[in-house]
Amino acid sequence: MSRYDEIKHRAVTTLQRWVANPLSRRMPRQVLLETTGRTSGQPRRTPVGGTRVGQEFWLVSEYGDKSHYVRNIMADPRVRVRIKGTWHTGTAHPVPEDDPRARLKSLPKGNSAMVRLVGTNLLTVRVDLDS
């Protein structure tokens, strides 16, 4: 990661952690991804933008395996996703072979634009939802 990307990552994640995410988590229609903290074991809820396709939920991480929620998924892939106010359980999988820029075209436009703007290491994530 270049020095510029590192500074951008720190600035954006600080803004997300302390301002955007706390506000977004309170919005009843915001999609949330709940992972288990890899060191704390506590639930961690992250606002995400994505799309449900059948029994799958697709999203793109801005920072790939540098994102805490991706690291949590790698430690324990069991997750919950809140879609339209309803929680669904599932198993998350990073999909490095998928083209994240192409995937963003099928995801919500506003979120996709922000991911493209601030992202430095895009990574597609698929959640296989339980029935």
Side-chain angles (χ1 to χ4, degrees):
M1 185 179 283
S2 72
R3 178 86 175 123
Y4 171 77
D5 286 344
E6 184 63 35
I7 291 168
K8 182 169 137 179
H9 175 260
R10 286 184 189 196
V12 170
T13 56
T14 298
L15 179 65
Q16 287 173 332
R17 178 174 290 148
W18 299 107
V19 179
N21 289 358
L23 292 173
S24 294
R25 279 193 288 268
R26 296 172 197 254
M27 298 169 62
R29 302 297 273 182
Q30 171 66 51
V31 175
L32 295 177
L33 176 67
E34 183 181 86
T35 60
T36 300
R38 63 194 174 281
T39 56
S40 71
Q42 298 298 309
R44 301 296 181 206
R45 292 182 176 173
T46 305
V48 296
T51 297
R52 183 176 182 168
V53 179
Q55 285 301 107
E56 299 173 337
F57 182 81
W58 292 86
L59 65 117
V60 174
S61 167
E62 300 159 329
Y63 303 112
D65 60 7
K66 196 165 184 174
S67 294
H68 287 280
Y69 71 87
V70 173
R71 291 168 149 186
N72 290 343
I73 287 168
M74 290 167 33
D76 180 359
R78 298 294 304 158
V79 299
R80 292 193 324 150
V81 183
R82 187 179 76 180
I83 306 167
K84 296 181 180 177
T86 302
W87 286 100
H88 304 271
T89 59
T91 306
H93 309 275
V95 188
E97 63 275 8
D98 190 68
D99 180 353
R101 293 201 178 276
R103 179 68 58 188
L104 284 170
K105 293 177 183 174
S106 69
L107 302 181
K109 294 186 186 320
N111 182 76
S112 293
M114 288 304 296
V115 170
R116 273 191 220 88
L117 179 68
V118 302
T120 57
N121 184 28
L122 305 183
L123 174 67
T124 301
V125 176
R126 183 188 79 236
V127 178
D128 296 329
L129 301 171
D130 299 335
S131 299

